[in-house]
């Protein structure tokens, strides 16, 4: 069964969603993300994806206090990303209760450092963030495109032991336009050993079932849930 991972994106301690990563296209869904996390747990979800959008913009963790509040009030397995640029950032995230951290930009700009972290903390605690725009991996809160093409980028890290990859198609994110299923299938065909987390564009329960049918191991969704487009009972009853 596909792993279901609801998302909470944070700006100024509030639960928000952006469209295509644009900070000027922001919708606030709840002033209290802890309440949202508790709701996810009560619905029956076991995993949560938390993104520190302030951190991604500032290039250091900003909302670790919200992460700590979520992990202290729920039993959700939380992965945390956004603004992780140093070992101190990683330590803060783990100290605040994260089970896993998502690292993207550093893997592009400082591969030796990311590999050192992979060896230090273990592949089971590290998620490689591979956010894609026009076929290239994007960095620093999606504000810059690198010159790295997705599949060679992934190949390098698979060879260094990466198991978990979060792949966001930026042009789809927050649009409710449907996920980039063909892209994720391409990744799985090349690297079937990966635990690939599809992210971006999910608009409905049917989209999630379609990803499952396509053989995608996991999915992150946010806006579709907040907009009432996800039938959680139907999803969770199939688990």
């Amino acid at each position: 069964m596909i792993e279901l991972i609801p998302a909470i994106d944070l700006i100024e301690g509030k639960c928000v969603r952006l469209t295509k990563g644009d900070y000027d296209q922001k919708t606030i869904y709840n002033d209290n993300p802890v309440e949202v996390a508790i709701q996810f747990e009560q619905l029956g979800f076991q995993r949560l994806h938390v993104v520190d959008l302030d951190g991604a913009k500032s290039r250091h963790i900003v909302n670790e206090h919200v992460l700590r509040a979520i992990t202290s009030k729920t039993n959700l397995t939380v992965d945390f990303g956004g603004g992780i640029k140093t070992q101190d950032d990683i330590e803060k995230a783990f100290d605040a209760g994260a089970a896993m951290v998502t690292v993207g930009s550093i893997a592009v700009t400082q591969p030796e450092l990311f590999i050192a972290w992979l060896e230090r903390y273990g592949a089971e605690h590290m998620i490689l963030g591979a956010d894609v725009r026009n076929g290239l991996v994007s960095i620093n809160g999606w504000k810059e495109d690198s010159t790295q093409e997705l599949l060679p980028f992934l190949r390098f890290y698979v060879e260094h032991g990466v198991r978990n990859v979060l792949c966001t198609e930026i042009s789809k994110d927050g649009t409710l336009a449907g996920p980039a299923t063909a892209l994720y299938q391409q990744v799985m065909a090349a690297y079937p050993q990966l635990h690939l987390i599809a992210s971006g564009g999910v608009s409905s329960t049917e989209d999630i079932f379609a990803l499952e049918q396509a053989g995608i191991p996991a999915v992150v969704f946010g806006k579709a849930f907040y907009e009432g487009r996800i039938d959680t009972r139907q999803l969770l009853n199939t688990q």
Side-chain angles (χ1 to χ4, degrees), residues 1 35 39 43 49-50 56 80 85 91 93 130 138 146 158 163 172 180 185 188 208 212 215:
M1 304 302 291
E35 286 183 357
Q39 180 187 10
L43 286 168
H49 176 61
V50 177
F80 182 84
K85 306 294 187 183
E91 296 289 348
S138 185
S146 74
V158 166
R163 300 180 203 162
K172 296 275 192 178
Q185 286 180 304
M188 291 308 300
I208 293 174
E212 182 176 53

Side-chain angles (χ1 to χ4, degrees):
M1 304 302 291
I2 193 168
E3 185 177 22
L4 304 169
I5 311 174
I8 292 177
D9 291 359
L10 301 170
I11 290 181
E12 297 177 351
K14 299 175 182 179
C15 177
V16 308
R17 295 298 290 175
L18 305 182
T19 299
K20 299 182 182 179
D22 184 350
Y23 285 75
D24 292 327
Q25 297 187 61
K26 175 181 71 177
T27 303
I28 298 172
Y29 286 104
N30 196 305
D31 289 342
N32 189 339
V34 178
E35 286 183 357
V36 179
I38 290 170
Q39 180 187 10
F40 283 135
E41 184 173 41
Q42 289 174 341
L43 286 168
F45 293 103
Q46 299 178 357
R47 175 92 178 261
L48 180 65
H49 176 61
V50 177
V51 182
D52 184 351
L53 291 173
D54 292 316
K57 199 171 187 178
S58 303
R59 304 192 183 190
H60 61 84
I61 287 181
V62 174
N63 285 293
E64 73 266 22
H65 61 291
V66 180
L67 171 63
R68 188 181 302 277
I70 289 171
T71 58
S72 66
K73 298 291 186 181
T74 74
N75 292 310
L76 293 166
T77 298
V78 180
D79 70 79
F80 182 84
I84 295 179
K85 306 294 187 183
T86 66
Q87 188 165 314
D88 183 55
D89 289 322
I90 292 181
E91 296 289 348
K92 282 182 181 178
F94 286 140
D95 183 64
M100 291 165 277
V101 295
T102 301
V103 179
S105 300
I106 290 297
V108 176
T109 60
Q110 300 181 60
E112 300 86 357
L113 181 58
F114 181 79
I115 290 167
W117 290 346
L118 193 65
E119 293 172 351
R120 179 183 181 92
Y121 297 104
E124 68 275 18
H125 298 296
M126 301 291 293
I127 300 172
L128 174 63
D131 302 327
V132 182
R133 178 165 46 211
N134 299 322
L136 300 176
V137 178
S138 185
I139 60 175
N140 294 327
W142 301 351
K143 294 193 293 294
E144 303 171 41
D145 292 332
S146 74
T147 58
Q148 296 262 18
E149 295 182 359
L150 178 61
L151 290 184
F153 174 74
L154 293 179
R155 180 174 64 244
F156 175 80
Y157 283 112
V158 166
E159 290 171 352
H160 283 87
V162 161
R163 300 180 203 162
N164 302 295
V165 172
L166 173 70
C167 185
T168 302
E169 170 50 73
I170 297 169
S171 69
K172 296 275 192 178
D173 194 68
T175 65
L176 301 174
T181 306
L183 175 68
Y184 306 133
Q185 286 180 304
Q186 186 180 14
V187 172
M188 291 308 300
Y191 311 113
Q193 69 271 48
L194 283 179
H195 188 72
L196 177 67
I197 306 166
S199 172
V202 170
S203 67
S204 65
T205 310
E206 290 71 26
D207 281 346
I208 293 174
F209 287 140
L211 285 168
E212 182 176 53
Q213 286 294 111
I216 311 306
V219 59
V220 163
F221 53 90
K223 190 171 185 176
F225 173 85
Y226 298 117
E227 298 282 348
R229 291 166 169 257
I230 297 289
D231 184 339
T232 54
R233 186 172 299 179
Q234 184 183 7
L235 274 184
L236 292 164
N237 282 346
T238 63
Q239 294 290 294

